[in-house]
Amino acid sequence: NAGVTQTPKFQVLKTGQSMTLQCAQDMNHEYMSWYRQDPGMGLRLIHYSVGAGITDQGEVPNGYNVSRSTTEDFPLRLLSAAPSQTSVYFCASGTTGYGYTFGSGTRLTVV
Amino acid sequence: GDSVTQMEGPVTLSEEACLTINCTYTATGYPSLFWYVQYPGEGLQLLLKATKADDKGSNKGFEATYRKETTSFHLEKGSVQVSDSAVYFCALTNTGGFKTIFGAGTRLFVKA
């Protein structure tokens, strides 16, 4: 089925560990983004990309890296996990004016 | 900077009641406006959109009208169902851009 695929769905990390959250879309969308969702705070933009090879920071980029080598894939890297990064992470893709398609999310716990 | 403000929840209604969730925004230029819905344990789904002033977006019985004079995009439904219980997010994307700013979300509970 067409859409946005995120893996893994759940992850527990120890403080200081690194990991990559995967995101792939098969709709040929030029725009992709990563959000984190925390209780009472809505969605906050971490990083976004307007096309392969182009990325930029959102509201809360510290502690995260991204790259966009292909149109389809937009992985999010946690460099050194901290308890403050415990959250639900959503990847989304879209085109101008049409809104986003979201993945089902990755629930990350850092202990 | 751009921002979106939604009414705080939770909103609790009985089945068949009328729903209004208020949303106001601050943005430069002419943003596109969206409502998304999130059911428990799922990602967000686009519910409806409007791309210019006075446009009305509608879907599944929900409606919202882009009001530039009041910078608002309130979500309405005439008769809610238990299955409408979810969190609703108002969002904007700036003119010609892709970055989308979300409101904090409003949780709706509908009782049978």
Side-chain angles (χ1 to χ4, degrees):
Chain A
N1 290 338
V4 177
T5 302
Q6 287 185 240
T7 56
K9 292 191 181 301
F10 301 94
Q11 183 70 49
V12 179
L13 289 179
K14 294 182 179 178
T15 297
Q17 286 185 315
S18 62
M19 79 160 294
T20 299
L21 280 60
Q22 301 292 341
C23 176
Q25 55 97 2
D26 58 3
M27 297 167 286
N28 203 32
H29 288 161
E30 65 266 34
Y31 183 75
M32 297 185 74
S33 59
W34 277 100
Y35 289 87
R36 59 178 290 173
Q37 184 177 30
D38 302 293
M41 301 191 73
L43 279 80
R44 292 182 291 170
L45 181 63
I46 304 172
H47 285 285
Y48 66 98
S49 169
V50 298
I54 306 169
T55 63
D56 206 347
Q57 297 181 352
E59 304 169 70
V60 289
N62 292 340
Y64 307 95
N65 272 357
V66 292
S67 60
R68 183 101 178 265
S69 56
T70 66
T71 299
E72 294 78 19
D73 299 302
F74 191 44
L76 178 72
R77 297 182 187 82
L78 278 70
L79 308 173
S80 177
S84 61
Q85 294 179 304
T86 294
S87 187
V88 181
Y89 291 84
F90 288 101
C91 179
S93 72
T95 55
T96 306
Y98 288 90
Y100 290 168
T101 299
F102 278 81
S104 57
T106 296
R107 186 174 296 274
L108 175 68
T109 302
V110 182
V111 298
Chain B
D2 298 344
S3 66
V4 175
T5 302
Q6 292 181 235
M7 63 187 289
E8 288 192 24
V11 175
T12 302
L13 296 174
S14 296
E15 206 165 25
E16 299 184 2
C18 295
L19 169 71
T20 299
I21 300 177
N22 291 334
C23 171
T24 57
Y25 67 90
T26 301
T28 55
Y30 303 93
S32 295
L33 302 175
F34 304 87
W35 278 100
Y36 288 83
V37 58
Q38 184 179 32
Y39 299 102
E42 299 183 10
L44 281 70
Q45 302 174 26
L46 179 63
L47 181 59
L48 54 83
K49 67 179 176 73
T51 57
K52 61 183 186 297
D54 299 325
D55 268 2
K56 177 185 284 187
S58 61
N59 187 24
K60 300 181 180 179
F62 291 90
E63 293 182 340
T65 301
Y66 189 140
R67 302 286 189 199
K68 188 168 175 59
E69 64 276 13
T70 54
T71 61
S72 65
F73 193 55
H74 305 321
L75 182 67
E76 299 176 325
K77 188 175 187 184
S79 176
V80 294
Q81 305 300 312
V82 172
S83 57
D84 293 327
S85 298
V87 181
Y88 292 83
F89 291 90
C90 185
L92 71 82
T93 302
N94 226 335
T95 309
F98 294 92
K99 283 175 62 176
T100 296
I101 305 299
F102 287 84
T106 303
R107 185 174 296 276
L108 170 66
F109 292 105
V110 180
K111 303 179 297 183

